Amino acid sequence: AKRATKILAVCWKHKGSVWFQEPVDPVKFGIMDYNDIITHPMDLGTIKKKLAHNFYSSPQEFASDIRLVWQNCYKYNGYEHEISYCAK
C-alpha cells in the first residue's frame, strides 16, 4: 500500500492531474454521451478512497485502476486531445 500511495501522490501532483482527480461530470462538461462510451469510469480520487479503505487486495488491482483512468481518457477523447496529453 505504501508504494501505491507514493505512485498516486506522484500522479496527483502532476500539473495536468486536475482533470483526473474526481469522477467525470457529464453534465458539467456537456458530454452527455460519456457514460455510453465509458462503461467503467475511474478517477484518481476514487482510487485514493479505495486505497484509504484498503479496498485493493493486490498491486495488480491498483495498477489496473490507474491504467483505466488513462485508457478511459484516450477512449473518450482520442490520443490527440489536450486532456489526453495530460494523461500521457
Side-chain angles (χ1 to χ4, degrees):
K2 288 182 182 180
R3 284 186 184 171
T5 301
K6 286 181 182 182
I7 290 168
L8 184 61
V10 169
C11 292
W12 197 276
K13 289 178 184 177
H14 189 276
K15 64 181 179 177
S17 74
V18 66
W19 297 108
F20 309 104
Q21 291 180 358
E22 57 186 43
V24 172
D25 182 342
V27 175
K28 178 180 177 181
F29 296 111
I31 51 174
M32 302 312 291
D33 62 346
Y34 185 80
N35 291 320
D36 295 330
I37 296 168
I38 303 302
T39 55
H40 300 290
M42 186 52 60
D43 62 277
L44 298 178
T46 298
I47 294 170
K48 190 175 190 177
K49 289 175 189 171
K50 289 170 108 176
L51 269 175
H53 292 94
N54 297 312
F55 178 84
Y56 296 110
S57 60
S58 72
Q60 291 79 14
E61 286 183 14
F62 168 78
S64 179
D65 272 357
I66 289 286
R67 283 191 296 271
L68 185 58
V69 174
W70 318 136
Q71 290 165 352
N72 285 345
C73 178
Y74 302 141
K75 183 176 182 179
Y76 188 79
N77 299 299
Y79 287 96
E80 301 303 317
H81 193 278
E82 65 182 278
I83 294 174
S84 296
Y85 283 115
C86 294
K88 292 176 190 174

